[in-house]
């Protein structure tokens, strides 16, 4: 009996050793490193510099044939895009702590950590700071890393994407991959015309165009900015001199803002909020369309809202889908249909063509003529797509790999016009 028992025990030990040798897991996660800087460093750090390459692109904006691409927490790339087949890097506007922007006429509004700053962009090679509204944003988040202001110091976190291959015990996965101060990250989730004078003349106002992931929006005489819990309005009747106005508490998990006609559609981690903006100084909540806790940008066309839900940190949740919502009754929005997706991020609509960024899975286009039967037209893969802006016949696309432009005059066969690649200063390791 003992020889049989020893033999069985040997087989078990060999099996365990073999399992330990073979079980390896490769994981990509975000590593956070705290750092501090002074308020004076931020406020004195703004300047126009020579063009630089994209390294960590964020939000995308366009105005009068020029592109403005956010370099996360660093500033804004200014690009001459009047020839979409050959965009030209013009300058880099260094803005410490920048993540969002909006443009009216020739005034650029941008966040710089705790401040809102207004710039004169008439000369894109010599952009000038005009005014700033100080201490209006007490805290925020960049790519999952939180920052806050305490007295004259800004406490922030540097975020690095790190890939490691670790040994596991075949039964219980290693939860920390041997690193400290880390957060795991699924790479699939990733992360109009006429310039005016700066003193506010009666020339008709024109706004630029942002994507569905925007946290800044313009309407009437106001700039709307959202934090994770509040909507802060700025009076821009004198565009070069924004003034702090109404502040509205919206609950937690606020992510995106999409103005449509005289309504505001707010994407949040738990739902889509609809606000009546007929009194632009005091938006009023009309209703909330609730969903699972996930990231949630939204675009709207007529009486249909298109909402993408995605999983992955920092979105939490496990849902990846497109929801088409009937908003004909703004006080009672209702779900029409849900479509499964891979990992949808930003989206855009040039009806009937719907564009959906699928993160590491590329870009999808749909014919949205029938909301109950969306017809997929094309799926472009091999690149990362974060957000899109459709402009009549050309599509602007930003992602971790860089900036792309497509001709979609034939929405079933998009044609690449140009690409500005990302050149990271150092590889993840």
């Amino acid at each position: 009996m003992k020889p049989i028992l020893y033999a069985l025990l040997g087989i078990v030990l060999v099996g365990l050793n073999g399992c330990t040798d073979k079980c390896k897991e490769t994981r990509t996660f975000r590593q956070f490193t705290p750092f501090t800087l002074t308020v004076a460093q931020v406020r004195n750090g703004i300047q126009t510099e020579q063009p630089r390459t994209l390294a960590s692109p964020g939000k995308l904006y366009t105005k009068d044939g020029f592109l403005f691409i956010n370099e996360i927490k660093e500033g804004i790339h200014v690009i001459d895009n009047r020839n979409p087949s050959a965009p030209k890097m013009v300058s880099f506007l260094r803005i410490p702590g920048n993540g969002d922007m909006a443009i009216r006429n020739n005034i650029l509004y941008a966040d710089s950590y705790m401040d809102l700053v207004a710039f004169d962009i008439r000369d894109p090679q010599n952009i000038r700071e005009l005014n700033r509204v100080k201490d209006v944003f007490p805290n925020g988040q960049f790519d999952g890393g939180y920052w806050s202001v305490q007295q004259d110091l800004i406490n922030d976190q540097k975020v690095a994407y790190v890939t490691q291959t670790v040994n596991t015990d075949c039964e219980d996965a290693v939860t920390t991959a041997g690193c400290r101060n880390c957060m795991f990250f699924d790479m699939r989730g990733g992360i109009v015309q006429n310039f005016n004078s700066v003193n506010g003349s009666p020339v008709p106002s024109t706004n630029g165009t942002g994507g569905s992931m925007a946290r800044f929006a313009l309407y009437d005489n106001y700039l709307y900015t959202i934090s994770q819990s509040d909507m802060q309005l700025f009076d821009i009747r004198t565009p070069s001199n924004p003034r702090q106005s109404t502040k509205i508490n919206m609950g937690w998990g606020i992510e995106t803002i999409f103005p449509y006609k005289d309504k505001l559609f707010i994407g949040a981690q738990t739902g889509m909020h609809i606000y009546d903006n007929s009194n632009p100084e005091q938006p009023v909540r009309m209703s909330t369309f609730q969903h699972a806790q996930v990231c949630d940008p939204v675009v709207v066309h007529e009486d249909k809202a298109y909402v993408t839900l995605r999983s992955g940190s920092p979105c939490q949740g496990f849902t990846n889908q497109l929801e088409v919502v009937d908003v004909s009754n703004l006080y009672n929005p209702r779900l029409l249909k849900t479509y499964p997706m891979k990992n949808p991020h930003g989206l855009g609509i040039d009806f009937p063509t719907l564009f959906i960024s699928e993160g590491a899975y590329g870009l999808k286009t749909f014919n949205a003529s029938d909301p109950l039967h969306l017809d997929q037209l094309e799926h472009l893969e091999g690149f990362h797509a974060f957000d899109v802006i459709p402009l009549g016949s050309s599509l602007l696309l930003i992602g971790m790999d860089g900036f792309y432009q497509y001709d979609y005059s034939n929405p079933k066969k998009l044609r690449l016009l140009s690409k500005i690649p990302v050149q990271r200063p150092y590889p993840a390791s």
Side-chain angles (χ1 to χ4, degrees), residues 264-275:
L264 298 174
F265 292 81
I266 309 295
Q269 289 189 9
T270 56
M272 175 186 68
H273 306 306
I274 303 174
Y275 277 74

Side-chain angles (χ1 to χ4, degrees), residues 14-25 166-168 170:
V14 169
L16 287 175
N17 288 334
C19 183
T20 302
D21 291 340
K22 292 181 180 179
C23 288
K24 293 181 181 292
E25 187 169 340
V166 298
N167 293 321
T168 69
C170 295

Side-chain angles (χ1 to χ4, degrees), residues 243-262:
R243 294 184 293 109
Q244 190 173 2
S245 183
T246 311
K247 187 175 184 177
I248 301 171
N249 182 273
M250 308 180 78
W252 192 251
I254 305 302
E255 295 182 316
T256 61
I257 180 169
F258 186 85
Y260 187 73
K261 298 182 179 180
D262 64 347

Side-chain angles (χ1 to χ4, degrees), residues 56-59 69-75 77 95 97-99 142-143 161 191:
S56 184
K59 305 291 177 64
I69 299 179
N70 162 244
E71 185 73 31
I72 296 176
K73 212 155 46 179
E74 297 288 332
H77 300 272
I95 311 174
N98 171 249
F142 287 105
D143 203 14
Y161 290 88
I191 53 167

Side-chain angles (χ1 to χ4, degrees), residues 153-373:
L153 289 179
I154 299 171
N155 300 302
D156 198 358
Q157 300 179 77
K158 292 182 180 179
V159 183
Y161 290 88
V162 181
T163 300
Q164 289 184 351
T165 300
V166 298
N167 293 321
T168 69
D169 61 6
C170 295
E171 294 179 1
D172 299 316
V174 177
T175 58
T176 61
C179 73
R180 297 180 180 179
N181 198 29
C182 300
M183 178 181 292
F184 286 102
F185 178 70
D186 182 353
M187 286 301 292
R188 294 170 299 175
I191 53 167
V192 269
Q193 202 66 269
N194 281 339
F195 279 157
N196 198 0
S197 66
V198 292
N199 58 8
S201 72
V203 176
S205 295
T206 61
N207 301 330
T209 304
S212 66
M213 307 295 274
R215 301 178 75 95
F216 279 25
L218 293 162
Y219 181 77
D220 196 66
N221 292 317
Y222 292 90
L223 167 69
Y224 301 83
T225 68
I226 58 169
S227 67
Q228 292 172 308
S229 58
D230 300 305
M231 178 162 55
Q232 175 65 65
L233 278 64
F234 295 88
D235 185 329
I236 56 171
R237 275 174 279 202
T238 303
S240 61
N241 186 28
R243 294 184 293 109
Q244 190 173 2
S245 183
T246 311
K247 187 175 184 177
I248 301 171
N249 182 273
M250 308 180 78
W252 192 251
I254 305 302
E255 295 182 316
T256 61
I257 180 169
F258 186 85
Y260 187 73
K261 298 182 179 180
D262 64 347
K263 302 297 183 289
L264 298 174
F265 292 81
I266 309 295
Q269 289 189 9
T270 56
M272 175 186 68
H273 306 306
I274 303 174
Y275 277 74
D276 181 0
N277 205 33
S278 54
N279 177 4
E281 188 177 6
Q282 191 68 51
V284 176
R285 189 192 298 244
M286 303 179 72
S287 62
T288 297
F289 172 76
Q290 294 185 324
H291 55 61
Q293 183 165 337
V294 284
C295 287
D296 169 18
V298 54
V299 295
V300 182
H301 176 74
E302 298 299 341
D303 60 355
K304 304 295 186 299
Y306 303 86
V307 184
T308 56
L309 312 182
R310 79 177 187 274
S311 63
S313 177
C315 308
Q316 306 178 40
F318 302 94
T319 302
N320 290 286
Q321 62 192 36
L322 168 72
E323 293 184 340
V324 183
V325 182
D326 182 348
V327 291
S328 55
N329 182 349
L330 293 166
Y331 291 97
N332 185 30
R334 62 185 184 89
L335 179 66
L336 289 177
K337 190 167 182 178
T338 296
Y339 295 88
M341 294 287 154
K342 293 279 191 178
N343 196 238
H345 288 57
L347 68 167
I349 182 87
D350 182 2
F351 195 81
T353 307
L354 176 67
F355 303 88
I356 297 182
S357 307
E358 279 273 41
Y361 298 103
L363 173 74
K364 289 179 180 176
T365 62
F366 296 86
N367 184 330
S369 298
D370 183 353
L372 298 180
H373 298 91

